[in-house]
Amino acid sequence: MTSPFYLAIKGKFVIAGKEPDGDSVRFIADDLDLYQELQRNYRIKPSRDRSVQLRFEGIDAPEVHYGKYAQPLGDEARDFLLKKMGFAKIKFQGDRVQSADPDTISGVILSQAADINGRPISYILLGRDAAQLENGDWTQVEPELLRQTLNYVMMAEGRAYYTVYTSTPRSHRQVLREAALAAREQDLGLWAADSTSIFRLVDFDSVTPPDGQLILPKLFRRCIDYLKAVDGGFRGNLTDWLEDVSRQQSRNENDRVVIRDRTQVSLSSLIEQYNSQIVFQEDLLDITFVEKT
C-alpha cells in the first residue's frame, strides 16, 4: 500500500521563459538536496536556472502542446491554473511565457518520487496552506490537506481529468474521484465537452482545435502518435498500433490499467474501433494507471 506521507519542499514557481500547462509548471527548490530523499531521485535533472518540471499528482489537463499538436480547452486549463496560482499580466509568444507579474510565486510541493521522465510527482500548495508546512518534513497528506491543493481545485472545477496511478495512495484516489464525479455531474469545465467514451478518429483534426473532440489527454497522446505512424506507413487500427509499438520499443505505450482496483488489463483491451469510431469501454473514474518505473 502506498504511503500517504509526502516530503514538503519549499521554493518558488516560475513561468517566465517557460511553457506551463494545466498540470505542470517549473519549480525552483530552496534546497536542491531535498530531492535526494525522493524515490528515483537520480532522474531529476535541474536546469541551468535550478528549476525542474513538475508532474501534478492525480490530474491530467488538456494538452497545450504535444509536439505541434494541442487539445481543445488546453489554453483555458493553463490560464485557469496560472490565475489560481497568482500570476497576472501574462504575455505569451506562442506557448512560451514572455513575462508575468509577479515573476515567481512562492509555495511548496509535496512529493514522494520522480516519474520516468524525472519530474517530481507533486501536490501543490500556496500561501497560508504552504506556510503551515516545514521545509524538509515528511507530511501526512490527509483529506483536509489534499482539498487545499491546486490539484484538487483543478479537479473540482472540471479543469483537469481524473488520472491516477498505482503510486497514488488509495485514500487520495477516493477524494480526487469524488471531486471529479461532482464536477462531471454538474458538467463543469471539460466535462461539458468530453467525448472520450465515443469519438471519431479520422485524422489529426479529429482531436485538435478548432473543431476536434476533447478526450482523455493520455488517450489523445496515443492517438497522435498512432496517426503519425499511419502517416509513416503503418497499416492497422489504434489497438493494433498500441500492441505493435509495445512489442518493438523499450518504452511501453500500451499502458497497464487497473479496473475498479480489481483487474489489471492493457489500455488496448479497453478500446474498440469500428472503422473511424473509437469506443472507450470503461468509465474514466474507475481506472487507475500502473506507474511506470
Side-chain angles (χ1 to χ4, degrees):
M1 182 178 295
T2 306
S3 168
F5 283 86
Y6 284 67
L7 181 66
I9 304 176
K10 292 196 171 186
K12 56 188 178 181
F13 302 93
V14 57
I15 63 171
K18 315 298 183 183
E19 297 183 359
D21 58 26
D23 56 31
S24 186
V25 295
R26 293 194 74 88
F27 177 75
I28 302 174
D30 292 341
D31 183 356
L32 291 178
D33 289 341
L34 289 176
Y35 290 138
Q36 298 306 308
E37 297 191 39
L38 302 181
Q39 297 175 45
R40 299 185 291 275
N41 59 74
Y42 59 91
R43 290 183 173 154
I44 302 173
K45 307 294 184 185
S47 61
R48 200 172 286 180
D49 67 354
R50 300 173 65 245
S51 71
V52 299
Q53 191 78 17
L54 303 176
R55 188 186 100 190
F56 283 25
E57 176 82 270
I59 69 173
D60 203 0
E63 292 285 354
V64 172
H65 43 75
Y66 183 63
K68 66 178 182 179
Y69 299 100
Q71 286 191 271
L73 301 183
D75 288 352
E76 289 85 346
R78 174 200 62 198
D79 295 347
F80 179 88
L81 172 66
L82 297 183
K83 182 178 179 180
K84 281 290 183 182
M85 294 185 77
F87 290 107
K89 299 179 182 178
I90 303 171
K91 294 182 179 180
F92 288 95
Q93 184 174 24
D95 295 327
R96 186 175 296 273
V97 175
Q98 288 185 302
S99 62
D101 182 26
D103 292 333
T104 62
I105 297 286
S106 295
V108 65
I109 65 172
L110 292 164
S111 183
Q112 295 178 329
D115 70 4
I116 196 170
N117 296 310
R119 300 174 298 178
I121 307 167
S122 306
Y123 289 119
I124 312 303
L125 288 166
L126 303 172
R128 287 179 295 180
D129 297 327
Q132 66 182 310
L133 301 177
E134 292 295 329
N135 199 31
D137 276 2
W138 283 93
T139 302
Q140 185 172 3
V141 180
E142 297 181 327
E144 182 179 357
L145 183 60
L146 178 55
R147 292 187 181 99
Q148 296 169 5
T149 66
L150 276 178
N151 312 57
Y152 182 87
V153 171
M154 292 294 289
M155 191 81 75
E157 295 288 340
R159 301 292 180 165
Y161 282 92
Y162 173 81
T163 307
V164 295
Y165 290 78
T166 49
S167 58
T168 312
R170 185 172 182 178
S171 60
H172 294 185
R173 285 183 249 153
Q174 292 171 339
V175 172
L176 293 171
R177 186 185 187 281
E178 289 170 2
L181 179 60
R184 187 171 69 178
E185 289 176 343
Q186 299 174 68
D187 277 342
L188 293 181
L190 58 79
W191 292 113
D194 175 57
S195 300
T196 305
S197 59
I198 303 177
F199 63 98
R200 295 184 65 80
L201 188 65
V202 178
D203 52 26
F204 296 105
D205 290 341
S206 300
V207 288
T208 61
D211 300 317
Q213 303 144 104
L214 178 64
I215 60 176
L216 181 73
K218 183 181 284 288
L219 185 56
F220 166 80
R221 295 189 289 270
R222 303 297 180 265
C223 287
I224 292 296
D225 291 345
Y226 161 67
L227 291 170
K228 289 178 182 178
V230 170
D231 283 352
F234 181 80
R235 295 293 176 263
N237 60 26
L238 177 59
T239 55
D240 295 331
W241 176 80
L242 284 168
E243 293 167 359
D244 184 70
V245 75
S246 298
R247 286 192 296 265
Q248 298 187 28
Q249 296 182 10
S250 59
R251 185 170 176 183
N252 190 347
E253 301 298 340
N254 193 13
D255 302 77
R256 301 301 297 175
V257 182
V258 180
I259 309 299
R260 289 180 288 279
D261 287 332
R262 291 198 298 269
T263 307
Q264 186 175 144
V265 299
S266 64
L267 179 63
S268 60
S269 71
L270 303 182
I271 296 169
E272 291 286 348
Q273 185 164 352
Y274 307 95
N275 297 317
S276 62
Q277 181 173 274
I278 306 290
V279 178
F280 193 79
Q281 301 180 95
E282 286 292 338
D283 188 327
L284 294 180
L285 305 189
D286 287 341
I287 64 177
T288 301
F289 290 95
V290 176
E291 185 75 45
K292 295 176 182 177
T293 59

